[in-house]
């Protein structure tokens, strides 16, 4: 049972803000090996509801999140 | 006098003073047909020495062309001359030790040393084709007919010089590298590795995002990212997200 009581807290807001985060930039390189994506973006804008972070270069490593993401037994 | 060689009256005796018989180890087809004078390991040619020192080889048959044979004296890298050359082994106390014969059509040319004084007919002769060392103290040095051009020793010298030259080049390279630290060649070599260096630097960025992907989409050069459960470190600060959507052009 999960309560939604804490959503309007700082922590809750932060977590909610992290839900929708927009990434904009130019893709420099992309790599897909062993079901792992690796991207290198240039001039990327991480836009949140409240904050905006700009970086010249960022590396994104993403694993497959379909069915095999969960490690906990329960 | 020879034992098993037929006498051939091809030349008048007044012009020649001596006759020698040389045992030649060759594979001459013309002589194979001859019934006699076939030794176990070769042929026997009749050599006649003139008064002026010239020597002639009398062939039993009119076919003057001999088979071209590979001589050990020929340079391995040299071009085989089209001229047929046959080397005759000298006799003990008889013919000079180096005698080259160039058989041309309708003509027999014999080049060699001058005739030594002590000449005696020797039926036996050395079977080896290789020119043996001077056994007796011949008066004149042997003259070897060389068709492919003279360059035996010079080529070896050139090779040695080339090796030395290479070593010098290497030493120069090392010296230049130690003095300046960057020679003209080093920048050239490093210039070829620009792409590799860029890749290494490109992936050593501090801004890293580790997450999971739900879907990665591409349309031509338009990429779309659907990510989730991510932790980011941007400009030294940590961020987290449960879901992230991104667009980028490649």
């Amino acid at each position: 049972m999960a309560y939604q009581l804490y959503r309007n807290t700082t922590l809750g807001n932060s977590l909610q803000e992290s839900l929708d985060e927009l990434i904009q930039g130019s893709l420099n390189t992309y790599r897909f090996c062993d079901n792992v994506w690796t991207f290198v973006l240039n001039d990327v804008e991480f836009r949140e509801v409240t904050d905006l972070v700009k970086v010249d270069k960022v590396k994104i490593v993403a694993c497959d999140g379909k069915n095999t993401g969960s490690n906990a037994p329960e | 006098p020879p034992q098993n060689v037929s006498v051939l009256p091809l030349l008048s005796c007044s012009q020649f003073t001596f006759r020698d018989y040389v045992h030649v180890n060759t594979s001459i087809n013309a002589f194979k047909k001859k019934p006699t004078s076939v030794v176990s390991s070769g042929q026997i040619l009749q050599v006649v020495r003139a008064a002026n020192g010239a020597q002639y080889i009398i062939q039993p048959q009119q076919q003057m062309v001999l088979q071209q044979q590979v001589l050990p004296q020929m340079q391995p890298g040299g071009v085989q001359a089209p001229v047929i050359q046959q080397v005759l082994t000298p006799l003990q106390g008889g013919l000079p030790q180096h005698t080259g014969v160039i058989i041309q059509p309708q003509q027999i040319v014999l080049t060699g040393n001058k005739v030594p004084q002590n000449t005696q007919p020797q039926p036996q002769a050395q079977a080896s084709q290789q020119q043996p060392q001077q056994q007796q103290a011949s008066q004149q040095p042997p003259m070897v007919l060389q068709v492919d051009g003279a360059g035996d020793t010079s080529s070896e010298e050139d090779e040695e010089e080339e090796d030395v030259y290479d070593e010098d080049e290497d030493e120069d390279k090392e010296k230049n590298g130690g003095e300046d630290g960057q020679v003209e060649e080093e920048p050239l070599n490093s210039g070829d590795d620009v792409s590799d260096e860029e890749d290494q630097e490109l992936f050593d960025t501090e801004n890293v995002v580790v997450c999971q992907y739900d879907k990665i989409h591409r349309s031509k050069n338009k990429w779309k990212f659907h990510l989730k459960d991510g932790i980011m470190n941007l400009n030294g600060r940590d961020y987290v997200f449960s879901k992230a959507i991104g667009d980028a052009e490649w």
Side-chain angles (χ1 to χ4, degrees), chain B residues 44-172:
Chain B
I44 292 183
L45 299 178
Q46 183 174 2
V47 178
V48 177
R49 184 177 296 108
N52 56 0
Q55 298 181 1
Y56 300 88
I57 296 179
I58 300 176
Q59 300 186 8
Q61 295 184 2
Q62 292 300 326
Q63 295 180 2
M64 305 304 180
V65 179
L66 296 177
Q67 291 292 332
Q68 181 178 4
Q69 65 184 22
V70 178
L71 300 176
Q73 292 82 8
M74 299 293 286
Q75 296 182 8
V79 178
Q80 293 291 338
V83 180
I84 298 172
Q85 178 177 358
Q86 176 179 357
V87 177
L88 302 178
T89 59
L91 296 176
Q92 295 179 359
L95 286 178
Q97 303 181 359
H98 296 286
T99 301
V101 177
I102 297 178
I103 305 301
Q104 296 180 359
Q106 305 301 328
Q107 180 179 1
I108 301 176
V109 177
L110 179 63
T111 62
N113 306 341
K114 294 183 180 180
V115 180
Q117 296 301 324
N118 51 350
T119 57
Q120 294 180 356
Q122 295 290 335
Q124 297 297 329
Q126 295 181 2
S128 62
Q129 292 180 357
Q130 295 178 357
Q131 299 178 359
Q133 298 298 331
Q134 294 184 358
Q135 299 175 357
Q136 299 178 357
S138 63
Q139 298 177 359
Q140 291 84 13
M143 293 177 59
V144 180
L145 179 64
Q146 201 164 6
V147 181
D148 56 350
D152 294 335
T153 57
S154 65
S155 64
E156 294 177 358
E157 290 177 356
D158 291 337
E159 292 177 358
E160 293 177 354
E161 290 177 357
E162 289 177 356
D163 294 335
V164 173
Y165 182 69
D166 291 334
E167 293 176 355
D168 292 337
E169 286 181 352
D170 294 335
E171 291 177 356
D172 291 336

Side-chain angles (χ1 to χ4, degrees), chain A residues 15 18-32 35-41 46 48 53-55 57-66 69, chain B residues 199 201-216 218 223 225 227-228 232-235 237 239-250:
Chain A
L15 292 175
S18 65
L19 286 175
D20 297 319
E21 189 162 324
L22 189 60
I23 303 173
Q24 277 191 337
S26 60
L27 182 63
N28 185 295
T29 61
Y30 57 91
R31 177 188 298 164
F32 182 67
N35 285 334
V36 177
W37 277 102
T38 303
F39 305 98
V40 177
L41 280 72
F46 290 89
E48 271 188 288
V53 182
K54 290 185 178 182
V55 293
K57 182 171 63 177
V58 62
K59 182 202 296 186
I60 298 177
V61 180
C63 296
D64 192 2
K66 305 170 189 178
Chain B
D199 292 336
E201 292 179 357
L202 194 63
F203 287 97
D204 289 340
T205 179
E206 294 180 356
N207 301 321
V208 185
V209 176
V210 288
C211 59
Q212 300 178 18
Y213 63 88
D214 284 331
K215 188 175 183 179
I216 303 297
R218 178 193 65 84
W223 286 76
F225 316 97
L227 310 174
K228 70 177 183 181
M232 306 186 298
N233 184 283
L234 307 176
N235 297 328
R237 299 179 62 176
Y239 302 88
V240 293
F241 64 89
S242 63
K243 182 180 178 181
I245 299 175
D247 293 311
E249 293 185 5
W250 180 79

Side-chain angles (χ1 to χ4, degrees), chain B residues 168-180:
Chain B
D168 292 337
E169 286 181 352
D170 294 335
E171 291 177 356
D172 291 336
K173 291 178 182 180
E174 294 176 354
K175 289 180 181 179
N176 291 331
E179 292 176 359
D180 297 335

Side-chain angles (χ1 to χ4, degrees), chain A residues 9 21 50 66 68 73-74:
Chain A
T9 59
E21 189 162 324
T50 57
K66 305 170 189 178
T68 59
E74 292 181 355

